[in-house]
Amino acid sequence: MITLHLIRKEHRADVHLTIRIIIILPEDRIILYMLTITIIGSGYVGLITGICLAERGNTVTVVDIDEEKVRVINAGEPPIYEEGLQELLKKHVGVSLHASTSYTSVSESDVIFIAVGTPPLPDGSADLQYIRSAAEQIGIALLEKHVKYPVVVVKSTVPPTTTRDIVCPAVKKHMEEPFGCCMNPEFLREGRAIEDFMHPDRIVIGSDDEEAIAKMKQVYADFDAPILVTSPTAAEMIKYAANAMLATRISFSNEIGNVCKKLGIDVYEVMKGVGLDNRIGPAFLNAGVGFGGSCFPKDVSALASLATSVGIDPILLHSVITVNDNQPSIMMALLEERVHDLADKQIAVLGLAFKDNTDDIRESRALCMIELLREKGARISCYDPMAMEEVKHIFPASQEISYMSSAGDALDGADACLVMTEWPEFEKLDKEFSRMKTQIIIDGRHILNIPHAEGLCW
Ligand code: UGA
């Protein structure tokens, strides 16, 4: 049986019709296309989730307290750089995606995702104040609910038990009618988030509630990926464990790389041989100056802090962080071996973003390196295809630090060069290096293709 629901919707000035198609298959299996969805938080995770679910045919509202961000999204402009985001916003804003500062859309939503930030507290644990507040406000907004059995879904990365012990009770405090609760972690890489959302390796649905699980399966009905249903606490732990595993692989490769460097071995040859083992695989074994970004450093610390809180000494997780924290100092020691006195020397820093294809500089290794270079009195000439404006807020242009419009200009007259980000355009650099005063080139990302570059740990 196929049922068509025509729903008149009003969103600000727009009035449009949503066609909802329900297909009831034998054995009461229901496929429901076009859900009404609200996402609380329009950061990387919230906005990407929203735009991708709009692309899959749902009607989506993203809610944010930041009025400027809401204005920018409603103007169809991406508030962050993410490959493919601009095109999708153009296609869906004002049609199937709207941004708002108000929670009113919650009352008519089948599914409400919480995708607010969980920044680290001074002890490394996750700050859950925004999660708590979002859950409370959802509960209040649901008092007006017009939908049968709405499902509240935690998308943010949260410590195990948060969904069960904080989010569900906070919604329930205000809502007497039945609703579902679920944890659904994201596995999106910045810069490739749309691709990752549309083509996931797996979808994890953490819930003990059959009705909530069924609705989440409708959300992901169109996705070609295995669905793993777990308890909410296991889903929360899967996210931390997956990030910790990836970070561990990087720190492991870096430690092996540091040993290889001393022995004159190329760690990239070694890791290729290691990764060809089917049980290990090749991903995330690239040695270099270490991991940055808003996820690995924060999530490994949060997991270590969680372990400590339950009486487990997280020896391995602490080591993952220590190895990562040491890589910039190891790069500095190598530079000093080659240049000796860095005072007043010009050092070209190529790459400022924490990785390629993003303007995000959070926990970027380049920032640690710039700090170390400044302590030694070096002059820094930097270049990044996307992230220079962000870095200028931290280190304004001065006598000590200059921002150049190309890698070649940053290299002009330099006494040495450090490569900090794996930007594909650095692969093609060649004759630009002839503009340097001295050809001391240290590659922290194994991206250069010139014979006279020295690898950090190869
Ligand atoms: C990471 C995970 O890859 C995503 O699956 C996860 O969803 C996301 O965190 C998150 O928790 O939201 P992301 O931080 O965007 O994604 O970036 P990655 O591509 O994982 O890179 C992280 C850092 O590791 C970068 O600084 C990169 O340069 C470094 N890296 C990566 C290495 O040093 N070596 C490698 O082999 C791979």
Side-chain angles (χ1 to χ4, degrees):
M1 183 179 79
I2 297 182
T3 320
L4 280 184
H5 290 237
L6 293 181
I7 303 166
R8 183 171 180 273
K9 291 206 166 221
E10 292 190 30
H11 257 296
R12 297 182 167 215
D14 317 302
V15 178
H16 59 271
L17 285 176
T18 299
I19 301 173
R20 184 182 296 228
I21 304 169
I22 301 174
I23 303 178
I24 302 177
L25 298 168
E27 294 165 21
D28 280 352
R29 280 178 52 221
I30 297 173
I31 299 176
L32 167 68
Y33 294 102
M34 299 197 75
L35 294 158
T36 300
I37 293 171
T38 294
I39 318 243
I40 312 298
S42 69
Y44 264 103
V45 175
L47 187 56
I48 299 303
T49 303
I51 199 71
C52 290
L53 291 177
E55 173 72 0
R56 284 281 189 249
N58 302 287
T59 302
V60 179
T61 305
V62 288
V63 176
D64 206 292
I65 46 166
D66 184 339
E67 285 180 16
E68 177 55 13
K69 212 186 240 183
V70 166
R71 187 197 64 74
V72 167
I73 296 170
N74 281 331
E77 295 161 24
I80 45 162
Y81 173 77
E82 191 58 53
E83 205 165 88
L85 180 58
Q86 187 147 29
E87 294 73 16
L88 286 184
L89 284 175
K90 270 206 175 76
K91 187 171 164 192
H92 294 294
V93 165
V95 183
S96 49
L97 183 121
H98 299 81
S100 172
T101 51
S102 130
Y103 275 63
T104 44
S105 60
V106 166
S107 64
E108 60 185 41
S109 291
D110 303 289
V111 181
I112 303 117
F113 284 94
I114 299 178
V116 296
T118 51
L121 288 167
D123 67 354
S125 65
D127 182 354
L128 299 176
Q129 62 166 311
Y130 305 107
I131 294 276
R132 233 180 241 112
S133 148
E136 292 265 354
Q137 290 186 71
I138 290 169
I140 294 166
L142 280 176
L143 285 173
E144 295 288 314
K145 100 180 158 74
H146 305 304
V147 170
K148 192 175 159 273
Y149 212 75
V151 177
V152 178
V153 185
V154 178
K155 196 74 169 150
S156 309
T157 300
V158 291
T161 71
T162 304
T163 305
R164 188 191 66 199
D165 295 346
I166 295 178
V167 174
C168 296
V171 178
K172 212 176 203 152
K173 197 165 106 189
H174 303 278
M175 257 274 283
E176 275 166 16
E177 302 229 7
F179 68 96
C181 243
C182 179
M183 200 291 152
N184 171 224
E186 54 85 16
F187 304 104
L188 312 175
R189 286 164 301 171
E190 275 185 37
R192 294 158 183 90
I194 291 177
E195 169 69 18
D196 285 350
F197 194 98
M198 291 305 205
H199 306 285
D201 290 343
R202 78 301 209 183
I203 292 159
V204 176
I205 298 176
S207 184
D208 303 318
D209 168 353
E210 286 308 319
E211 213 168 323
I213 294 166
K215 205 169 255 185
M216 288 306 287
K217 285 186 174 170
Q218 290 164 13
V219 172
Y220 291 111
D222 247 3
F223 290 72
D224 183 19
I227 292 185
L228 177 70
V229 177
T230 66
S231 66
T233 42
E236 290 162 332
M237 195 63 169
I238 285 170
K239 169 66 191 195
Y240 277 112
N243 271 2
M245 180 69 197
L246 294 169
T248 302
R249 287 172 71 101
I250 298 170
S251 279
F252 175 80
S253 306
N254 287 341
E255 189 155 287
I256 299 292
N258 294 339
V259 178
C260 284
K261 178 78 182 174
K262 294 283 179 205
L263 297 173
I265 302 168
D266 181 346
V267 70
Y268 275 78
E269 278 184 15
V270 173
M271 285 315 190
K272 191 168 181 185
V274 172
L276 279 170
D277 185 325
N278 272 335
R279 294 166 301 174
I280 298 173
F284 280 70
L285 296 179
N286 297 325
V289 73
F291 56 79
S294 64
C295 305
F296 289 170
K298 170 175 82 81
D299 292 350
V300 178
S301 297
L303 187 54
S305 152
L306 178 77
T308 309
S309 75
V310 292
I312 301 291
D313 184 8
I315 304 162
L316 181 60
L317 298 174
H318 282 155
S319 303
V320 168
I321 297 166
T322 306
V323 170
N324 198 53
D325 287 349
N326 282 346
Q327 289 309 97
S329 307
I330 291 175
M331 192 177 210
M332 191 64 189
L334 182 60
L335 177 67
E336 283 191 297
E337 250 177 62
R338 302 293 177 255
V339 177
H340 308 299
D341 186 9
L342 283 168
D344 215 32
K345 294 280 175 14
Q346 184 195 329
I347 310 300
V349 173
L350 300 189
L352 300 172
F354 84 93
K355 64 173 187 178
D356 66 305
N357 214 20
T358 179
D359 59 0
D360 196 338
I361 56 164
R362 284 176 287 179
E363 301 282 336
S364 166
R365 303 293 83 194
L367 300 185
C368 312
M369 213 57 222
I370 290 173
E371 287 282 13
L372 293 173
L373 288 168
R374 276 158 49 103
E375 278 168 24
K376 300 282 177 181
R379 282 177 296 116
I380 302 152
S381 52
C382 15
Y383 167 71
D384 187 284
M386 271 194 198
M388 288 200 290
E389 290 310 310
E390 299 296 321
V391 178
K392 282 182 195 169
H393 296 305
I394 302 172
F395 302 112
S398 65
Q399 293 251 337
E400 282 180 333
I401 179 159
S402 52
Y403 295 88
M404 312 309 284
S405 55
S406 69
D409 287 351
L411 291 167
D412 201 36
D415 296 281
C417 161
L418 303 176
V419 178
M420 305 302 297
T421 311
E422 56 272 43
W423 282 105
E425 70 173 67
F426 296 161
E427 276 177 56
K428 297 180 205 111
L429 292 176
D430 186 357
K431 60 181 186 322
E432 289 83 352
F433 290 104
S434 62
R435 293 171 68 178
M436 295 176 71
K437 193 162 138 199
T438 330
Q439 297 275 312
I440 296 171
I441 303 158
I442 303 176
D443 184 354
R445 293 293 181 190
H446 202 257
I447 191 80
L448 299 179
N449 272 319
I450 47 164
H452 51 298
E454 177 170 8
L456 174 59
C457 34
W458 54 94

